[in-house]
Amino acid sequence: MAWDGISLELFVRAATLGAIGRAGAELGLSPTAATQRIKNLETDLGAQLLHRTTRAVSLTTEGENFLQHAQTILTEMDEARSDLTGSLTEATGELKVTASAVFGERFIVPYIEDFFAAFPGISVRLDLSDQIVNIIEQGFDLAIRVGALAPSTLIARRLSHNPRLLAASPAYLARHGTPERPQDLREHACIMLAGQRSWEFAGPDGTEHEVRVTGRLSSNSGSAIRNALLADLGIATRSLWDVEFALADGSLVPVLPDYTVLPEWKVWAVRPPGRRAPARVRAFTGFLENVIRTNFPAGA
């Protein structure tokens, strides 16, 4: 089997650099040896991973699909090695991390004091923004992203599942009625993420439904959408962790509770490509994963 760490890292670096020879040089391999390792990996997988030309290489469709798996395997190998080689409590340096505002306010800011107590050598520069930033260009060590990830050379680690639901306030539903099926949403004020035009659901029998929705309010801010729900302005899809307290006190109620919002989302820790994450990144990622698991069991 060609699934050794060097071959996987070679593939990831070749995808990043667009050149097998340059990727091989980084790992101390000759061009011939690097090319043969990629060929062996493709043979073992039974799929071509890279398109080759005289000037560059690029990912095939199969290569794009495999890239995320390769990055995950390398990350898990590093984490396993770290578990065996010592504690992270002595990690030091400034950690530059970005996350959406609503996620950071829910899972990072309330627990940052505990992180500092556990890792006294690490300082944190926290950027909370609902814009997706280029973490390589802007120099971030880590991004926490919620949703479905597009193929890229970034290395992602899943922190938790991210169940979503439709919600509205009781006052809004009392005025406008309660939808009984996804098609009914066409008659309601739907509060959408900027750029959205439709919502997708899976019914109780597994049948998928796509509904084009409209509304007078859209926003790129998760906090703004949640506050609009609480202000009785309409119906919106939200992450369960974002509205669980409002659901518990009755400020919001589920809409179409027998339907699952699609696509399924997850919470990811995403970092720049590279074989080994800095200790401060591994420390924060592990800490945050435990925070989510402890305070949001539904995401386990």
Side-chain angles (χ1 to χ4, degrees), residues 58-131:
S58 60
L59 288 168
T60 64
T61 300
E62 291 77 10
E64 290 179 355
N65 292 335
F66 184 66
L67 180 61
Q68 186 70 61
H69 295 293
Q71 292 170 328
T72 299
I73 292 168
L74 290 172
T75 299
E76 291 177 349
M77 289 172 62
D78 284 342
E79 291 169 353
R81 187 180 295 108
S82 297
D83 289 342
L84 295 174
T85 57
S87 171
L88 294 174
T89 55
E90 297 181 2
T92 61
E94 181 185 60
L95 175 72
K96 301 174 183 177
V97 58
T98 180
S100 71
V102 65
F103 181 90
E105 291 163 2
R106 173 69 172 84
F107 289 114
I108 298 178
V109 175
Y111 307 99
I112 199 69
E113 184 177 359
D114 296 334
F115 177 76
F116 288 150
F119 301 97
I122 301 177
S123 61
V124 175
R125 192 184 85 187
L126 179 62
D127 176 85
L128 295 182
S129 170
D130 289 321
Q131 300 294 323

Side-chain angles (χ1 to χ4, degrees), residues 190 192-200 210-214 218:
C190 296
M192 297 160 286
L193 283 171
Q196 276 189 325
R197 294 294 180 267
S198 63
W199 290 337
E200 298 177 38
E210 182 173 1
V211 181
R212 187 171 180 85
V213 293
T214 59
S218 64

Side-chain angles (χ1 to χ4, degrees), residues 21-193:
R22 288 174 57 197
E26 289 186 359
L27 300 175
L29 299 172
S30 69
T32 301
T35 298
Q36 189 59 51
R37 277 187 172 270
I38 293 295
K39 288 181 178 179
N40 291 343
L41 181 60
E42 291 176 324
T43 298
D44 189 61
L45 293 171
Q48 183 178 348
L49 302 176
L50 297 171
H51 291 301
R52 299 163 177 80
T53 69
T54 55
R55 295 185 177 181
V57 298
S58 60
L59 288 168
T60 64
T61 300
E62 291 77 10
E64 290 179 355
N65 292 335
F66 184 66
L67 180 61
Q68 186 70 61
H69 295 293
Q71 292 170 328
T72 299
I73 292 168
L74 290 172
T75 299
E76 291 177 349
M77 289 172 62
D78 284 342
E79 291 169 353
R81 187 180 295 108
S82 297
D83 289 342
L84 295 174
T85 57
S87 171
L88 294 174
T89 55
E90 297 181 2
T92 61
E94 181 185 60
L95 175 72
K96 301 174 183 177
V97 58
T98 180
S100 71
V102 65
F103 181 90
E105 291 163 2
R106 173 69 172 84
F107 289 114
I108 298 178
V109 175
Y111 307 99
I112 199 69
E113 184 177 359
D114 296 334
F115 177 76
F116 288 150
F119 301 97
I122 301 177
S123 61
V124 175
R125 192 184 85 187
L126 179 62
D127 176 85
L128 295 182
S129 170
D130 289 321
Q131 300 294 323
I132 299 296
V133 302
N134 186 314
I135 62 174
I136 296 175
E137 290 183 358
Q138 299 192 29
F140 285 101
D141 299 301
L142 188 67
I144 307 302
R145 292 183 175 165
V146 180
L149 296 181
S152 77
T153 60
L154 301 177
I155 296 177
R157 171 180 171 180
R158 182 181 64 81
L159 299 182
S160 79
H161 293 286
N162 190 82
R164 294 186 292 158
L165 77 162
L166 278 175
S169 69
Y172 171 85
L173 296 176
R175 289 199 306 267
H176 301 280
T178 300
E180 296 182 357
R181 56 180 187 162
Q183 292 78 3
D184 295 341
L185 293 169
R186 297 181 182 129
E187 308 302 321
H188 283 267
C190 296
I191 308 168
M192 297 160 286
L193 283 171

